[in-house]
Amino acid sequence: MLPLQIGSFTPKAPVVLAPMAGVTNRAFRAMCRSYGDELVYVNEMVMSHAVVYRNDKTLTMMQFGDDESPRSLQIYGSDPDMLGRAVHQVCDEGRVDHVDLNFGCPAAKVTRKGGGAAVPAKPKLLQQIVRRAVQAAEPYGVPVTAKFRMGLWDDLRTDITTGRICADEGIGWIALHARTVEQHYSGEARWEAIGALKEAVTDIPVLGNGDIWEASDAVAMMAQTDCDGVVIGRGCLGRPWLFGDLITVLNGGEAPAPRRLGEVAEAMRRHARLLTDHYAGFGGEEHAMRDFRKHCAWYLSGYPVGPDVRRTLAQVSSLAQLDDVLGAFDPDAEIVEGGERIKRGHTNGPIKVALPEGYLDDPDELAIPDDADVMALSGG
Ligand SMILES: Cc1cc2nc3c(=O)[nH]c(=O)nc-3n(C[C@H](O)[C@H](O)[C@H](O)COP(=O)(O)O)c2cc1C
């Protein structure tokens, strides 16, 4: 197994929090870190244009905790020049210890212009983007990693070529979300593709991603695919303690029993306060509570909480109101059997993949996708 490393930092277990747009901000990562310190926790993605032009919202999105180490940021960009500038800027300003590149964004708005998950179908463009990012980060000793999907659809697989290009261009590790763009979030992740990528790319760590809901799934994925580590997305939505469980289980221990509702409520209170701090300069408590509504649904999935309470939390607008509702919970209530595996976050698909007219006619064509307006997307 190849070790994951960011400078002199080696995580306690080969586990990475998947970047999730609108979710993995400073507050969410602080929650996860409180249960499992010393892993790699990646910030939600930011757009290269928005970084370069210092968009206010993007600056809010790029916050890290004072005690956070390493500071990992995912940058999205399909224009090599813009991406290089963004990577240079965040490194030069000392904002990050690690940059992750997103080549898996399946949003039609993006792929229709040849950006995001469409880029791997143009290997030369992909190579230029990766090269510019690595060159920009290198003088600062900041490693660059990449995350991508299996391909556009089953007959257009790009994962192996993408992995090879990344390895040849100096990428630190690659992570495969084992679905095609067409699949979007449907069906089960196809872990066999992770095994095949690991066999094809032997010089840098290969991480597996997709459908790890409980710590035992990570053990199973690593055993089945021989991958060097795991990337955890939806499994930790409403379950930030999953990272503590992963450290325990991947180091040979037993996973603790599922949390009772009292512990869940305590986490919700803490998370809502951290989110309010996070948005202090950008809408404060009101904005934070709006954002927290989706987390309420995730925290409570599988717990015996009635529809009226859920409806109230779907419109919760203050910390005081949240505390009132949580105060009435039965702290001893347990999650239903299999509740940890209830799918959360995105579940939809398959989708029709949108591409520019004639996009696949010439894979060597080097038209630069225009992703200047790619804001507010949920990216992978
Ligand atoms: C709400 C949400 C937002 C996401 N945003 C991003 C993103 O910004 N960048 C990215 O590379 N992947 C993004 N993804 C994809 C995840 O990182 C991950 O690849 C995917 O959810 C599969 O892993 P999982 O089965 O563990 O969830 C997002 C997923 C969700 C559910």
Side-chain angles (χ1 to χ4, degrees), residues 50-55 58-59 62 64 71 73 75 85-97 99 136-137 140 142:
V51 171
V52 169
Y53 295 118
R54 296 184 183 283
N55 175 280
T58 300
L59 291 174
M62 287 202 292
F64 291 92
R71 297 161 301 165
L73 178 68
I75 305 189
R85 285 171 66 184
V87 173
H88 167 82
Q89 190 172 311
V90 295
C91 292
D92 194 54
E93 292 174 355
R95 288 179 186 271
V96 298
D97 304 302
V99 169
Y140 302 92
V142 170

Side-chain angles (χ1 to χ4, degrees), residues 18-21 45 74 102 147 177 185 209-211 233-234 346 379-380:
M20 287 184 277
M45 71 169 183
Q74 190 185 55
N102 176 346
K147 180 165 172 291
H177 175 190
Y185 286 88
N209 172 230
D211 291 342
R234 295 165 299 164
H346 302 321

Side-chain angles (χ1 to χ4, degrees), residues 22 26 78 127 146 162 164 179 196 208 229 231 292 313 372:
R26 178 177 60 142
S78 311
Q127 184 185 40
T162 302
R164 276 264 40 100
R179 285 187 175 84
V231 178
F292 193 64
L313 290 175

Side-chain angles (χ1 to χ4, degrees), residues 268 293 296 300 309-316 322 325 329:
M268 291 172 76
R293 293 171 184 171
C296 290
L300 298 178
V309 174
R310 288 177 194 272
R311 258 193 302 277
T312 306
L313 290 175
Q315 295 171 22
V316 66
L322 179 72
V325 177
F329 281 5

